[in-house]
């Protein structure tokens, strides 16, 4: 499938900023979400109720439609690890502390599919509308669904992923001893994916695979590359994520590519760039696309999502020249 | 198109197994009653699974905690549907569950303690996310690889079944266990009450006097197999899943359009995918929640599609309550049973047709019916509309 | 009555996140639920029912009843005057 538009709102200057991959540095702990003026993208009547995750997602999705010069996508597919946390927390607070009638808005907007629903509502789209929520693999599952849909004859699909930070997450992570060296952040990345190469195409998603409750990471990478007829030396760039020092995805990626196979693939930990949220592999995909557009040498970029040690996501992005 | 259904599993307010659910359906025994198991200050009418968490842990022989009620219910149904099937390298097996609340049953207890500063147990937050709910079930069944969760509010369960069928159709998997699970929570009860669509009486789908829904809980799973998989497993085919579709209403955040736009598209497209005609549909298991808005919109959609030839239809929610993400899966199991046993289930509590449409559902159990194809509707918040078509194996 | 209407407008703007509106933008007789008026929808209607209970102790148990009461600021103020003790 071909990537015909890409848009990201994150803690980095990614939004409407082609070439951002050359500019950005790893995030420090003081970083904040960089929000566009949402009024330029979202009708005021809808915007007034929207939480952060909804604003980011609808604006990024609409930006994609503008880039691709598409009025209506064939479908809307969203991945989200934790969904609409801001409204979920708000409604928990509401019903646990108020006696009497309860305001319904935060409940309505607490469901995971509010994101895809609000995108359809804001553009009047009647197509297939789906929400995948398999924690760190939610975006990869959205991509797999997209490839099925392209196989069924649909085209120009808005596919993306979003997660939002709320202050409570820091507290929870601390108590669960899950504090990471990475800073917890918010982000939304959306794409338009099409079956055929068009003049808008910037790169291609060659293949995507998920392995839940994985036993053997090396074997999974082996078979993924084999199935794509790719020698390890042909992988020019590996974008990987790890959870914490303890989980060792860092060394998994290095061992596999550098030590085991002596490939000179360049390795980048994308969580350092995006910050930590369950669907940050979608950020990595936009980053890969941006790099590919600027560096003709880059033919194959592998996204190795090991954010959760029990799950592995593999996405192969190919330049149009490859 | 057609994918084989070779295994069924269910746990709901009307029984812990397929056999118990069927018995309740055949004898018009509803599971709706005042709250008993959920820790609630009120005595709202709900469709609870008649087991405490401790009883479920014992029944399922689960030792490792914390685990959400959503996972426990899902595991009960998934185990029954999986049955005695074995893992084999020949067959690529997947697992897709749907949930709208995930581990909210544990999270809301945590959050109350958190607000009260009453020594909250942060460990339970590990089972909050919907993906974890699914992974717990997959791990117990020994399924690895394609493990996924869908969450599209009240249409989630139907969407999980549809996704499984599409993965088999395109040769990505050979068999896949699909369904949904949701536990009853104060979060959802309060949510639907805040929308003023929670009926304090027993819900009355498609009746003029209807004023809302009763929530329920439960889970259901179906084993879908390709022809190749069924040959290797040797499992007999109960019926086929032959049509599916999802469409967005794009009308309102919660309400369905009065014209039934999204619902009409979902029903029409699902029938088209099945290769059948509208006249082939023997029975419609309606979404029929009992809210003013849904039942009118759904009736209009049925009239749009079927015209004067409306098939026998009923909502089984007065038996189970509205089980949210599990509803589409529970009603898929009921649809499969309707075909397998030649039954059409009654719409309890119906007296007076809706003035605008005049449609009359089936109100008594119909036996020995030639049920060759069943349409099952599931419509959710955000205008998420899905329809499935089940048909006899030919 | 005038101060009741002012309060009502402030509360509506606040509770419904009508960020772009000032009290002076809402006329006493502009239709709250019309696109030409304030442009509220059925979710706002539920929020208004909560507002009536929270600030005025008035229970609107039937959303249908709310439809007439919530037509304009004038009708809302009348309804409050009539129903509060």
């Amino acid at each position: 499938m071909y990537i015909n538009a890409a848009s990201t709102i994150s803690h980095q200057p990614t939004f409407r900023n082609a070439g951002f991959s050359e500019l950005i540095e790893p995030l420090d702990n003081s970083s904040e979400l960089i929000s566009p003026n949402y009024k330029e993208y979202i009708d005021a009547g809808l915007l007034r109720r929207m939480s952060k995750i909804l604003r980011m997602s609808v604006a990024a999705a609409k930006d994609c439609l503008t880039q691709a010069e598409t009025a209506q996508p064939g479908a809307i597919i969203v991945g989200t690890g934790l969904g609409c946390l801001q409204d979920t927390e708000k409604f928990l607070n509401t019903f646990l502390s108020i006696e009497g009638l309860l305001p319904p808005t935060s409940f309505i907007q607490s469901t995971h599919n509010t994101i895809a629903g609000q995108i359809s509502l804001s553009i009047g789209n009647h197509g297939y509308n789906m929400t995948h929520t398999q924690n760190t693999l939610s975006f990869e599952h959205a991509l797999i669904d997209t490839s099925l849909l392209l196989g069924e004859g649909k085209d120009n699909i808005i596919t993306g992923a979003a997660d939002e930070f709320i202050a409570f997450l820091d507290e929870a992570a601390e108590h669960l001893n899950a504090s990471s060296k990475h800073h917890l952040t918010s982000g939304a990345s959306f794409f338009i994916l099409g079956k055929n190469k068009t003049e808008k195409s910037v790169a291609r998603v060659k293949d995507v695979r998920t392995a839940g409750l994985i036993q053997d990471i090396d074997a999974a990478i082996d078979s993924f590359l084999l199935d794509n007829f790719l020698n390890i030396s042909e992988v020019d760039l590996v974008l990987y994520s790890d959870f914490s020092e303890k989980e060792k995805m860092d060394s998994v990626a290095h061992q596999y590519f550098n030590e085991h196979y002596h490939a000179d693939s360049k390795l980048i930990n994308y969580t350092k760039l995006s910050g930590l949220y369950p669907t940050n592999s979608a950020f990595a995909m936009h980053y890969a696309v941006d790099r590919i557009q600027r560096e003709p040498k880059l033919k194959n970029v592998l996204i190795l999502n090991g954010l959760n040690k029990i799950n592995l996501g593999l996405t192969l992005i190919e330049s149009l020249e490859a | 198109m057609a994918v084989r259904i070779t295994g069924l599993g269910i746990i709901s307010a009307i029984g812990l197994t397929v056999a118990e659910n069927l018995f309740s359906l055949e004898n018009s025994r509803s599971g709706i009653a005042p709250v008993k198991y959920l820790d609630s200050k009120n005595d709202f009418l709900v469709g609870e699974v008649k087991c405490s968490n401790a009883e479920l842990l014992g029944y399922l022989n689960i030792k490792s905690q914390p685990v959400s009620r959503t996972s426990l219910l899902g595991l009960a149904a998934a185990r029954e549907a999986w049955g005695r099937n074995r893992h084999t390298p020949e067959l690529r097996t997947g697992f897709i569950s749907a949930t709208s609340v995930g581990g909210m049953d544990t999270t809301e207890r945590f959050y109350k303690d958190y607000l009260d500063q009453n020594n909250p147990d942060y460990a339970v937050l590990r089972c909050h996310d919907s993906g974890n709910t699914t992974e717990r079930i997959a791990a117990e069944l020994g399924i690895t690889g394609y493990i996924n969760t869908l969450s599209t509010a009240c249409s989630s369960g139907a969407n999980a079944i549809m996704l499984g069928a599409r993965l088999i159709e395109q040769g990505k998997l050979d068999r896949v266990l699909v369904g949904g699970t949701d536990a009853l929570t104060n979060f959802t009860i309060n949510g639907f009450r805040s929308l003023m669509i929670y009926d304090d009486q027993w819900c009355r789908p498609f009746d003029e006097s209807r004023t809302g829904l009763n929530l329920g809980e439960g889970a259901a799973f179906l084993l879908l197999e390709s022809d190749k998989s069924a040959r290797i497993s040797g499992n007999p085919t109960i019926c086929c899943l032959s049509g599916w579709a999802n469409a967005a209403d794009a009308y309102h955040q919660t309400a369905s359009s009065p014209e039934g736009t999204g619902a009409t598209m979902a029903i029409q497209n699902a029938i088209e995918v099945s290769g059948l005609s509208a006249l082939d549909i023997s029975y419609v298991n309606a979404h029929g929640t009992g809210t003013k808005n849904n039942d009118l919109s759904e009736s209009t959609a049925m009239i749009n599609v079927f015209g004067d030839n409306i098939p026998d239809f009923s909502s089984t929610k007065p038996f189970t309550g509205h089980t949210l993400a599990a509803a589409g899966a529970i009603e898929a199991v009921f649809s499969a049973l309707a075909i397998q046993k030649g039954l059409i289930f009654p719409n309890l509590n119906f007296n007076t047709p809706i003035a605008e449409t005049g449609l009359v559902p089936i109100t008594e159990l119909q036996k020995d019916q030639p049920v060759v194809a069943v349409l099952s509707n599931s419509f959710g918040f955000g205008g998420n509309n899905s329809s499935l078509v089940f048909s006899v194996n030919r | 009555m005038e101060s009741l209407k002012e309060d009502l407008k402030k509360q509506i703007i606040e509770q419904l996140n009508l960020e772009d509106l000032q009290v002076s933008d809402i006329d006493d007789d502009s239709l709250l639920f019309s696109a030409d008026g304030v442009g509220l929808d059925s979710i706002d209607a539920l929020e208004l029912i909560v507002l009536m209970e929270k600030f005025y102790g008035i229970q609107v148990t039937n959303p249908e009843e709310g439809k007439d009461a919530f037509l304009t600021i004038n009708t809302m103020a009348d309804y409050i005057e009539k129903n509060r003790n």
Side-chain angles (χ1 to χ4, degrees):
Chain A
M1 48 191 163
Y2 288 88
I3 303 171
N4 297 332
S7 185
T8 295
I9 294 173
S10 68
H11 283 230
Q12 297 279 9
T14 44
F15 192 66
R16 298 194 68 87
N17 189 19
F20 73 85
S21 61
E22 291 173 343
L23 307 169
I24 62 176
E25 298 283 335
L27 288 178
D28 65 35
N29 287 342
S30 63
S31 76
E32 286 185 7
L33 183 69
I34 303 175
S35 302
N37 180 5
Y38 289 116
K39 287 180 186 169
E40 291 174 21
Y41 299 90
I42 305 170
D43 175 64
L46 287 171
L47 184 63
R48 67 190 163 100
R49 292 193 190 119
M50 285 185 180
S51 60
K52 181 164 61 181
I53 195 169
L54 298 176
R55 291 168 179 229
M56 294 191 298
S57 302
V58 175
K62 282 194 151 182
D63 179 37
C64 283
L65 289 174
T66 309
Q67 286 178 36
E69 295 173 24
T70 300
Q72 281 300 342
I76 298 165
I77 305 179
V78 173
T80 180
L82 290 167
C84 302
L85 286 178
Q86 199 177 310
D87 279 317
T88 300
E89 188 183 36
K90 190 172 173 189
F91 194 69
L92 274 168
N93 272 305
T94 299
F95 86 79
L96 289 170
S97 49
I98 297 179
E99 295 283 336
L101 293 177
L102 305 174
T105 305
S106 57
F107 173 68
I108 293 167
Q109 302 195 150
S110 69
T111 59
H112 287 63
N113 68 316
T114 312
I115 305 166
Q118 288 279 9
I119 296 171
S120 86
L121 202 55
S122 65
I123 60 175
N125 185 273
H126 293 286
Y128 177 89
N129 194 280
M130 200 52 60
T131 302
H132 297 256
T133 178
Q134 192 54 46
N135 53 57
T136 57
L137 297 180
S138 305
F139 177 60
E140 283 80 352
H141 278 294
L143 285 177
I144 292 171
D145 193 0
T146 307
S147 85
L148 291 177
L149 218 51
L150 292 174
E152 292 157 11
K154 297 281 187 298
D155 211 347
N156 280 319
I157 294 161
I158 291 192
T159 302
D163 271 295
E164 70 183 345
F165 171 77
I166 56 172
F168 176 77
L169 286 179
D170 273 336
E171 206 177 318
E174 194 181 314
H175 279 91
L176 291 172
N177 291 321
S179 293
S180 159
K181 60 190 170 184
H182 302 299
H183 171 41
L184 300 179
T185 56
S186 302
S189 295
F190 281 78
F191 305 88
I192 304 262
L193 299 168
K195 191 175 175 65
N196 301 309
K197 186 173 162 182
T198 69
E199 58 187 21
K200 298 285 180 190
S201 299
V202 288
R204 182 179 172 209
V205 181
K206 178 88 184 304
D207 196 5
V208 54
R209 191 172 296 174
T210 60
L213 305 176
I214 190 162
Q215 323 258 316
D216 186 340
I217 292 177
D218 283 2
I221 303 172
D222 280 343
S223 75
F224 184 74
L225 294 178
L226 190 68
D227 291 347
N228 284 291
F229 308 106
L230 211 57
N231 268 317
I232 191 148
S233 59
E234 293 171 288
V235 179
D236 307 304
L237 174 65
V238 179
L239 301 175
Y240 70 94
S241 60
D242 63 347
F243 183 64
S244 71
E245 299 288 1
K246 279 178 280 177
E247 310 294 353
K248 303 243 194 287
M249 180 50 89
D250 206 8
S251 52
V252 169
H254 279 282
Q255 253 171 22
Y256 187 89
F257 287 94
N258 298 144
E259 290 167 29
H260 190 172
Y261 287 104
H262 306 291
D264 52 6
S265 316
K266 197 165 166 5
L267 306 180
I268 293 176
N269 183 340
Y270 61 80
T271 298
K272 288 183 179 168
L273 299 172
S274 64
L276 180 62
Y277 58 94
T279 51
N280 64 359
S281 57
F283 177 101
M285 185 154 119
H286 191 181
Y287 179 85
V289 169
D290 198 73
R291 287 280 301 259
I292 283 173
Q293 284 179 275
R294 258 136 216 95
E295 293 169 56
K297 285 194 315 243
L298 283 183
K299 299 277 191 281
N300 294 296
V301 180
L302 178 68
I303 301 171
L304 194 82
N305 173 359
L307 198 56
N308 182 338
K309 66 176 173 180
I310 61 170
N311 292 329
L312 180 72
L314 295 166
T315 309
L316 182 62
I317 315 290
E318 198 182 67
S319 75
L320 296 177
E321 287 75 37
Chain B
M1 293 190 198
V3 169
R4 292 169 187 277
I5 296 174
T6 62
L8 303 175
I10 186 170
I11 184 167
S12 79
I14 57 170
L16 307 184
T17 61
V18 172
E20 287 186 16
N21 273 266
L22 181 61
F23 180 81
S24 298
L25 287 170
E26 286 176 327
N27 292 282
S28 291
R29 289 196 188 171
S30 168
I32 308 266
V35 173
K36 179 175 172 193
Y37 297 92
L38 178 71
D39 182 15
S40 164
K41 286 177 286 186
N42 302 292
D43 59 354
F44 303 130
L45 289 178
V46 292
E48 284 177 300
V49 169
K50 310 294 183 270
C51 278
S52 67
N53 282 354
E55 287 165 337
L56 281 170
L57 284 164
Y59 172 61
L60 296 165
N61 193 24
I62 295 295
K63 303 274 190 291
S64 111
Q65 298 219 46
V67 58
S68 65
R69 185 170 173 90
T70 306
S71 280
L72 293 174
L73 296 175
L75 181 59
R79 262 195 197 155
E80 187 184 16
W82 181 248
R84 292 167 179 272
N85 282 285
R86 291 155 186 255
H87 293 288
T88 155
E90 281 177 292
L91 298 175
R92 293 160 301 165
T93 306
F95 183 64
I96 308 170
S97 181
T99 182
S100 69
V101 300
M104 180 54 82
D105 60 295
T106 55
T107 303
E108 69 182 18
R109 284 199 300 275
F110 161 86
Y111 208 81
K112 185 170 190 306
D113 289 338
Y114 172 77
L115 290 178
D116 296 345
Q117 301 187 320
N118 180 29
N119 195 21
D121 178 12
Y122 283 84
V124 304
L125 294 177
R126 290 191 192 279
C127 31
H128 172 77
D129 86 89
S130 306
N132 177 279
T133 306
T134 304
E135 279 161 4
R136 284 299 294 266
I137 304 168
E140 290 291 337
L141 297 173
I143 297 174
T144 59
Y146 188 95
I147 298 169
N148 191 12
T149 310
L150 296 180
S151 190
T152 59
C154 313
S155 55
S156 308
N159 286 335
I161 296 167
M162 173 173 63
L163 179 61
R166 293 167 57 226
L167 284 158
I168 289 178
E169 277 293 328
Q170 295 207 30
K172 306 284 180 193
L173 292 173
D174 301 306
R175 61 180 174 177
V176 54
L177 196 58
V178 293
T181 177
D182 258 335
L184 192 68
T185 65
N186 286 298
F187 188 93
T188 40
I189 291 177
N190 280 292
F192 283 95
R193 294 193 73 81
S194 78
L195 288 166
M196 297 191 150
I197 52 172
Y198 203 102
D199 202 328
D200 288 328
Q201 295 170 276
W202 196 358
C203 66
R204 299 172 298 288
F206 296 107
D207 192 272
E208 178 65 15
S209 75
R210 72 201 183 281
T211 56
L213 52 79
N214 308 134
L215 282 183
E217 65 178 353
F221 284 87
L222 300 90
L223 183 61
L224 305 183
E225 292 190 76
S226 67
D227 291 348
K228 171 192 158 192
S229 176
R231 216 165 34 241
I232 292 172
S233 70
N235 291 327
T237 300
I238 298 165
C239 66
C240 291
L241 174 62
S242 49
W244 49 80
N246 169 273
D249 201 32
Y251 170 72
H252 185 272
Q253 278 184 271
T254 55
S256 306
S257 60
E259 307 81 22
T261 311
T264 304
M265 289 172 72
I267 297 171
Q268 260 165 356
N269 294 344
I271 293 174
E272 192 186 316
V273 168
S274 75
L276 300 170
S277 87
L279 292 170
D280 296 321
I281 303 294
S282 328
Y283 165 56
V284 180
N285 185 298
H287 188 53
T289 56
T291 64
K292 285 271 180 214
N293 176 247
N294 175 80
D295 295 3
L296 178 58
S297 178
E298 186 171 10
S299 297
T300 305
M302 283 197 281
I303 292 168
N304 290 345
V305 176
F306 298 107
D308 294 336
N309 301 303
I310 305 271
D312 290 349
F313 74 97
S314 65
S315 163
T316 45
K317 288 190 171 71
F319 284 95
T320 58
H322 186 0
T323 56
L324 303 179
I330 284 177
E331 288 157 28
V333 169
F334 292 171
S335 299
L337 291 173
I339 292 174
Q340 187 185 31
K341 310 285 182 190
L343 298 173
I344 292 178
F345 307 116
N347 190 115
L348 305 179
N349 303 338
F350 175 86
N351 282 307
T352 313
I354 297 172
E356 292 94 325
T357 59
L359 298 187
V360 178
I362 294 297
T363 55
E364 300 287 336
L365 179 75
Q366 309 287 307
K367 290 190 212 169
D368 304 319
Q369 298 292 308
V371 182
V372 295
V374 177
L375 171 77
S376 177
N377 292 332
S378 297
F379 306 141
F381 270 12
N384 200 291
N385 299 301
S386 293
S387 294
L388 301 174
V389 176
F390 302 87
S391 59
V392 289
N393 178 32
R394 291 194 199 282
Chain C
M1 194 75 174
E2 285 313 305
S3 76
L4 169 62
K5 289 177 189 170
E6 289 284 296
D7 287 347
L8 208 44
K9 289 177 193 174
K10 271 185 218 156
Q11 286 151 358
I12 289 174
I13 289 170
E14 163 87 21
Q15 298 290 312
L16 306 184
N17 298 322
L18 300 168
E19 297 158 356
D20 294 340
L21 290 187
Q22 307 288 328
V23 167
S24 57
D25 296 332
I26 306 178
D27 292 333
D28 291 353
D29 60 356
S30 61
L31 293 171
L32 295 174
F33 287 85
S34 156
D36 303 330
V38 182
L40 303 184
D41 66 12
S42 62
I43 297 173
D44 296 311
L46 293 168
E47 293 281 352
L48 289 181
I49 291 174
V50 176
L51 183 153
M52 295 293 265
E53 189 198 48
K54 185 171 162 191
F55 293 106
Y56 302 100
I58 297 172
Q59 295 204 345
V60 186
T61 43
N62 180 359
E64 292 298 309
E65 192 185 327
K67 270 187 187 159
D68 295 330
F70 301 154
L71 205 61
T72 65
I73 293 291
N74 278 333
T75 61
M76 275 188 89
D78 286 346
Y79 187 80
I80 293 168
E81 286 291 325
K82 221 178 289 169
N83 287 281
R84 80 171 158 190
N85 302 311

